[in-house]
């Protein structure tokens, strides 16, 4: 089912490998998390899954070198939203 596997696509910038850190069909969540990552001086990219049926999730991607920090930022932001 794809869980736990690393999904990556080459970035058009700098040849960096991009890693998916969030997959969701919620465009509000994606935009919010992207803004939070940008505020942390990271370089997120939303890879949108365009399908006629709109059931494929989009992915929030970051350069491989930023994965650990990006995951911490997402965990912190989403943890704060639940409290």
């Amino acid at each position: 089912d794809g869980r736990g596997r690393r999904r990556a696509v080459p970035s058009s910038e700098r040849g960096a490998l991009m890693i998916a850190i969030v997959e969701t069909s919620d465009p509000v969540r994606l935009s919010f998390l992207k803004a939070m990552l940008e505020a942390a001086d990271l370089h997120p990219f939303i890879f949108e899954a365009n399908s006629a049926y709109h059931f494929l999730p989009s992915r929030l991607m970051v350069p491989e070198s930023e994965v650990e920090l990006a995951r911490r930022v997402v965990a912190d932001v989403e943890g704060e939203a639940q409290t």
Side-chain angles (χ1 to χ4, degrees), residues 6 8-9 31 36 44 60:
R6 290 173 55 168
V9 295
S31 295
M36 294 296 100
L60 184 60

Side-chain angles (χ1 to χ4, degrees), residues 19-59:
I19 306 294
I21 59 167
V22 173
E23 291 186 23
T24 182
S25 297
D26 183 347
V28 174
R29 180 179 177 218
L30 281 174
S31 295
F32 175 72
L33 292 175
K34 181 177 185 275
M36 294 296 100
L37 292 172
E38 288 172 339
D41 274 340
L42 299 177
H43 303 90
F45 170 78
I46 294 176
F47 180 79
E48 295 186 41
N50 293 319
S51 94
Y53 302 104
H54 302 288
F55 65 89
L56 297 174
S58 294
R59 291 178 240 157

